[in-house]
């Protein structure tokens, strides 16, 4: 189900009820970009610690925006069946406030989404507004001080001018209690037109109608004052704030109910959740982890789960979420156990059962939750010699997934996953290689990277003037380079030994040698004088 700004408020109560009844919620996001090319060293690297990667990703998250958020709500029925309500929420930053919102667009990301049929008109024209707590507080203060404004485009100004011209022409001849209707207003136009008219004309009153219309009534100043104090006024400041908050209202429901939150390679998703709907990302990596754990105490990344499944079962090596889903659906990996739970799409979301929609956020969220259930079922059947119940509960699935809970996959780095409820554990990589350059002056990290790229992928970091470290996540690549560069005229490649190649260790050894030499000289010279 596609949801934009126009119908979001009406659907919010039903969404709240469905989330409250859910076993878990899966999500996926699409962005205007991933890694900013204008920032130095923003690409993920095997040299990155989690804190270093967070700094890189934080810069990108602050520059790019969300365009679509997919939410799949999985509810367990009495039988061994889960019903899924899957939604695509088109999002656009709130423009009701004192400051405009700026974001960057990556050409490759736009092309990628366009290739998969993303509707940019829905994003731009009907995107649901959102704001974080800091932006909300700024807007609240301006509403209280009556210094609010809307960051309007030329199109918005044309709509506003047309409405004001119609009302000012009409009101001259109108009598008290006469009304007129303004047509074709939507989104913030509905609020902005009413606020501007009320601010400019003390003898008019406005009320929103269905079908993007606003009723304007001529009233006396006394009657106007009574209406302003009415609890039914749609332009009350708290209702304006509620409307401007938009999707953040749904985010706050997710935070309140604390349902397990499921994603796939979800580090960037969690960072955008924090930055766009909660608070600007903190500088501290540890503070970010604590905040996310407080917001969502149970997080499950299906990337870390499927890594475990691939090790324990005869599971083909696949990478994408859709490939994993296809393998789990088609392969009989557990022929003796009870069948996996039935996963049924609700009637309003049935098109996902008929047509694949890769990289549509709602579809990917549905795949993500389905992969979790099927993977958990396989792990449950493997974890015990006893017969598994015909209808396992979701709490049993959570128990068998316990080692993966709150561990989010870390792509190409110093750890395999980020642990949001504890310490990050380093992962085991193939040994690092050191390249000693001879007779090739001025060589850069980029040139070293290009040199080895033809053989395999290594991350490169300069160690000293003539030395570079290479890191790979594949043992076969390390063996290949050690073999092929054994007799290279300019590049001597060997396994990195900290005690031998580290500049700090070498410096310490040199200082120790100098101190030892001076000690010997002092002893010899002192002994000579005494003689």
């Amino acid at each position: 189900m596609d949801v934009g700004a126009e119908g979001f408020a009406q659907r919010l109560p039903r969404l709240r009820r469905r989330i409250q009844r859910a076993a878990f919620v899966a999500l996926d996001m699409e962005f205007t970009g991933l890694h900013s090319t204008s920032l130095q060293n923003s690409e993920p690297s095997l040299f990155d610690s989690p804190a270093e990667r967070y700094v890189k990703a934080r810069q990108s998250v602050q520059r790019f925006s969300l365009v679509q958020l997919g939410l799949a709500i999985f509810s367990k029925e009495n039988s061994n069946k889960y019903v899924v309500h899957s939604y695509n929420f088109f999002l656009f930053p709130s423009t009701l406030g004192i400051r405009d919102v700026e974001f960057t667009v990556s050409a490759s990301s736009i092309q990628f989404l366009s290739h998969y049929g993303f509707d940019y008109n829905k994003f731009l024209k009907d995107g649901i507004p959102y704001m974080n707590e800091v932006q909300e507080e700024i807007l609240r203060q301006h509403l209280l001080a009556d210094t609010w404004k809307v960051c309007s485009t030329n199109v918005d100004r044309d709509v506003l001018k047309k409405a004001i011209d119609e009302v000012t022409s009409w009101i001259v001849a109108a009598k008290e209690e006469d009304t007129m209707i303004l047509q074709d207003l939507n989104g913030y136009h509905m609020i902005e037109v009413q606020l501007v008219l009320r601010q400019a004309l003390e003898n008019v009153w406005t009320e929103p109608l269905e079908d993007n219309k606003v009723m304007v009534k001529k009233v006396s100043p006394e009657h106007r004052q009574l209406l302003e104090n009415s609890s039914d006024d749609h332009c009350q400041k708290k209702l304006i704030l509620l409307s401007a908050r938009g999707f953040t209202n749904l985010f706050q429901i997710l935070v309140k109910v604390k349902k397990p939150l499921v994603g796939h390679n979800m580090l960037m998703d969690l960072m955008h959740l924090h930055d766009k709907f909660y608070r600007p990302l903190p500088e501290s990596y540890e503070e970010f982890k604590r905040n996310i754990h407080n917001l969502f105490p149970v997080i499950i990344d299906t990337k870390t789960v499927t890594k475990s499944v691939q090790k324990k079962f005869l599971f083909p090596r696949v990478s994408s979420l859709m490939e994993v889903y296809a393998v789990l659906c088609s392969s009989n990996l557990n022929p003796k156990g009870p069948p996996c739970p039935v996963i049924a799409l609700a009637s309003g979301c049935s098109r996902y059962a008929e047509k694949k929609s890769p990289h549509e956020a709602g579809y990917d969220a549905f795949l993500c939750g389905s992969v979790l259930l099927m993977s958990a079922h396989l792990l449950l059947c493997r974890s015990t010699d006893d017969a598994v119940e015909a209808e396992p509960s979701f709490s049993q699935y959570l128990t068998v997934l316990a080692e993966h809970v709150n561990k989010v996959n870390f792509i190409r780095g110093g750890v395999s996953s980020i642990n949001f409820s504890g310490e990050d554990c380093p992962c085991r990589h193939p040994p690092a290689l050191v390249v000693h350059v001879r007779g090739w002056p001025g060589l850069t990290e980029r040139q070293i990277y290009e040199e080895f790229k033809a053989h395999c992928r290594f991350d490169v970091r300069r160690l000293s003037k003539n030395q570079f470290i290479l890191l790979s996540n594949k043992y076969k690549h390390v063996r290949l380079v050690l073999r092929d560069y054994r007799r290279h005229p300019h590049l001597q490649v060997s396994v990195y030994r900290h005690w031998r190649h580290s500049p700090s260790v070498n410096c310490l050894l040199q200082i120790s040698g100098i101190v030892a030499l001076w000690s010997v000289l002092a002893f010899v010279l002192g002994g000579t004088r005494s003689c």
Side-chain angles (χ1 to χ4, degrees), residues 340-448:
C340 281
V342 175
I343 301 170
L345 283 155
S347 57
C349 317
S350 57
R351 71 181 170 95
Y352 288 159
E354 302 157 4
K355 179 186 175 184
K356 296 176 182 177
S357 302
H359 304 292
E360 184 172 286
Y363 180 72
D364 285 354
F366 159 68
L367 293 187
C368 187
S370 301
V371 164
L372 178 83
L373 285 174
M374 291 187 281
S375 300
H377 187 79
L378 290 176
L379 293 172
L380 179 63
C381 293
R382 175 62 64 93
S383 68
T384 178
D385 295 329
D386 301 327
V388 176
E389 298 175 21
E391 299 178 12
S393 66
F394 187 70
S395 61
Q396 288 177 282
Y397 288 151
L398 280 180
T399 300
V400 79
L401 290 167
E403 64 177 298
H404 307 296
V405 170
N406 293 327
K407 292 177 181 174
V408 170
N409 188 54
F410 191 74
I411 302 172
R412 292 183 64 80
V415 298
S416 59
S417 61
I418 291 176
N419 185 358
F420 279 88
S421 54
E423 294 293 324
D424 301 326
C425 295
C427 63
R428 188 183 173 196
H429 281 309
L433 301 180
V434 62
V435 180
H436 184 79
V437 182
R438 294 177 297 188
W440 196 347
L443 208 59
T444 65
E445 289 183 3
R446 170 53 61 178
Q447 289 172 305
I448 288 285

Side-chain angles (χ1 to χ4, degrees), residues 161-174 180 182 197 200-201 204 216:
K161 184 177 183 304
K162 180 175 178 290
I164 292 172
D165 288 346
E166 286 183 28
V167 173
T168 51
S169 298
W170 163 81
I171 202 167
V172 174
M180 68 167 294
L182 297 174
L197 287 173
L201 303 168
V204 302
V216 182

Side-chain angles (χ1 to χ4, degrees), residues 464-501:
S464 64
K465 182 179 179 181
N466 296 315
Q467 288 183 314
F468 298 85
I469 295 180
L470 305 183
L471 277 183
S472 174
N473 55 2
K474 296 187 184 296
Y475 283 89
K476 65 179 181 180
H477 291 170
V478 171
R479 291 193 294 268
L480 185 67
V481 166
L482 286 172
R483 184 195 70 192
D484 292 354
Y485 280 79
R486 190 174 298 164
R487 294 181 178 84
H488 195 280
H490 301 295
L491 303 177
Q492 178 186 344
V493 182
S494 59
V495 174
Y496 176 81
R497 307 292 183 195
H498 183 71
W499 59 268
R500 181 180 176 186
H501 297 112

Side-chain angles (χ1 to χ4, degrees), residues 315-335:
F315 197 96
R317 293 198 66 82
V318 292
S319 56
S320 76
L321 180 61
M322 196 156 76
E323 289 173 335
V324 173
Y325 176 76
V327 169
L328 288 168
C329 287
S330 62
S331 301
N332 191 9
L333 299 175
N334 189 47

Side-chain angles (χ1 to χ4, degrees), residues 92-101 129 149-152 156 188:
F92 195 83
S94 180
T95 56
L96 183 61
I98 196 64
R99 293 184 61 188
D100 202 354
V101 177
K149 71 172 185 177
V150 176
C151 302
S152 303
D156 294 330
Y188 283 134

Side-chain angles (χ1 to χ4, degrees), residues 144-165:
L144 290 173
D146 282 329
T147 56
W148 55 269
K149 71 172 185 177
V150 176
C151 302
S152 303
T153 64
N154 288 331
V155 175
D156 294 330
R157 294 188 191 102
D158 290 342
V159 171
L160 190 60
K161 184 177 183 304
K162 180 175 178 290
I164 292 172
D165 288 346

